[in-house]
Amino acid sequence: MILKAEREYLSQAAVLADELFPGHAPGELLAEWAALPPGELAVFLALEDGAPAGFAQCQLRRDYVEGTQTSPVGYLEGIYVREQYRGRGLARALLRACEDWAAERGCAEFASDCQLENTDSIAFHLGAGFAEANRIVCFVKPL
């Protein structure tokens, strides 16, 4: 079952998000989500037999999004399914929920990103109908 994570389900999604984004405490992610303007973010939770199995976070991006021509763009910020629940179509169902949410808000495009070395994520995105827009290497130096 896929549901929009609100209230009690939002904290369960934050625990899953912490598994995807190590180093963030669930409370920290909840605060980040709460700080976004209303209607700009959606978090979906996949439940299997009542247990949290996966989550997806999407939001509207109004700044430039690589490879897109419109604004706002629906953006997949994170998607994760616990290993024991993989191979059941949950990630695709979570993605569809995000895409539907973005389309309901007038988005004509939906985008995402992942690290260059994350071959599993690249395969998921390509298999789900995404087309690669660009590859970049980011740089930083102290001043």
Side-chain angles (χ1 to χ4, degrees), residues 5-6 28 82 100 109 115 130:
E6 296 178 309
E28 181 182 343
R82 285 181 166 152
D100 291 346
E109 296 176 285
Q115 298 293 322
F130 286 92

Side-chain angles (χ1 to χ4, degrees), residues 38-136:
E40 295 288 305
L41 165 83
V43 178
F44 293 93
L45 184 66
L47 296 175
E48 284 284 304
D49 298 322
F55 92 102
Q57 172 191 346
C58 59
Q59 62 190 69
L60 300 180
R61 288 202 179 178
R62 298 178 189 285
D63 53 342
Y64 175 72
V65 174
E66 191 75 38
T68 64
Q69 304 299 316
T70 62
S71 181
V73 172
Y75 205 89
L76 183 65
E77 302 291 346
I79 189 165
Y80 172 74
V81 175
R82 285 181 166 152
E83 193 168 340
Q84 67 265 34
Y85 298 107
R86 293 179 186 167
R88 301 180 189 187
L90 293 177
R92 285 187 188 244
L94 286 162
L95 175 60
R96 270 191 307 278
C98 290
E99 292 169 337
D100 291 346
W101 176 85
E104 289 167 6
R105 277 144 191 83
C107 294
E109 296 176 285
F110 196 81
S112 184
D113 65 54
C114 72
Q115 298 293 322
L116 290 173
E117 68 276 0
N118 192 340
T119 56
D120 289 340
S121 183
I122 292 168
F124 168 76
H125 282 84
L126 293 173
F130 286 92
E132 187 173 313
N134 196 9
R135 289 190 178 222
I136 63 170

